[in-house]
Amino acid sequence: ELSELTVPGTDTVYFNDSRVIRSMVGLRGRVTERLVVDVSTGYGSATFEEGAAALALPELTADLQGNEKIVAKGAATYQFTPDDAVTLSVQRDFRTAYFTNYVTFNKGSISARFRPAQRIRLTAETSLTSEGYRGQQTRDDALISVRTGASYAVANWATVSLLPEWTRRRSTDPLV
């Protein structure tokens, strides 16, 4: 099938329909009093329909591809207290992308969360991601991201947060 999206004042944009199946199995448990480990692995598959898309826009489906991958994720969290922790995580997965068929990615990150006072929570995370876009467009990107956060609980039902983020992307496509 072919899905279409029409935005007022622009041309109609066509998207190939896809079927994504992902199955994972894993374990999560407390290794020591303070160390929690979460690991899972599985299989993912994405199939992109050619039929109607090829008839309507053959140039759109010239590079139509499917994807089959081993997917996995893991995390180790060291808890200083129930509110204070540091987490190291890795993930290998894929997702569909609107301008091409799919993107595979490998992501590693380290994050921390602390509660220095009853109403204040601080967070920080940095991650490095390698992305591979395949399909109509093919390119490889590397991203580094840094996120921080500060939250103040004004009341039991209201919180004010400041969550700045910085991301830098390098791509094999010079236009990105």
Side-chain angles (χ1 to χ4, degrees):
E1 292 181 30
L2 183 68
S3 300
E4 65 178 58
L5 171 68
T6 305
V7 179
T10 66
D11 294 333
T12 299
V13 178
Y14 293 93
F15 295 94
N16 289 305
D17 286 340
S18 63
R19 260 187 320 276
V20 177
I21 298 171
R22 183 180 284 109
S23 176
M24 296 184 79
V25 63
L27 294 171
R28 181 177 193 277
R30 190 170 293 278
V31 177
T32 68
E33 182 181 331
R34 295 182 182 218
L35 182 63
V36 177
V37 175
D38 184 356
V39 294
S40 57
T41 188
Y43 174 78
S45 174
T47 306
F48 299 89
E49 299 291 333
E50 293 188 59
L55 293 174
L57 294 169
E59 69 279 359
L60 182 69
T61 59
D63 295 321
L64 200 59
Q65 299 178 18
N67 181 38
E68 295 184 17
K69 275 241 180 269
I70 298 293
V71 294
K73 63 181 177 179
T77 301
Y78 187 83
Q79 296 178 318
F80 301 100
T81 69
D83 291 328
D84 303 333
V86 173
T87 301
L88 181 64
S89 65
V90 294
Q91 182 178 12
R92 176 183 176 85
D93 209 339
F94 68 91
R95 65 182 180 275
T96 58
Y98 73 93
F99 61 90
T100 191
N101 291 343
Y102 64 91
V103 56
T104 60
F105 63 91
N106 297 300
K107 180 180 181 178
S109 66
I110 185 167
S111 61
R113 67 176 194 270
F114 296 100
R115 187 181 294 258
Q118 183 61 31
R119 295 187 174 267
I120 297 173
R121 176 179 289 273
L122 303 175
T123 60
E125 179 183 5
T126 186
S127 65
L128 181 60
T129 307
S130 170
E131 296 180 334
Y133 293 86
R134 299 297 179 262
Q136 183 67 18
Q137 255 192 31
T138 300
R139 73 172 204 246
D140 295 309
D141 293 1
L143 291 91
I144 185 167
S145 297
V146 177
R147 295 171 203 82
T148 59
S151 299
Y152 179 75
V154 181
N156 289 339
W157 50 270
T159 302
V160 175
S161 298
L162 176 64
L163 305 166
E165 178 178 345
W166 174 84
T167 300
R168 176 74 177 185
R169 177 183 299 265
R170 296 279 186 186
S171 180
T172 56
D173 184 344
L175 298 176
V176 175

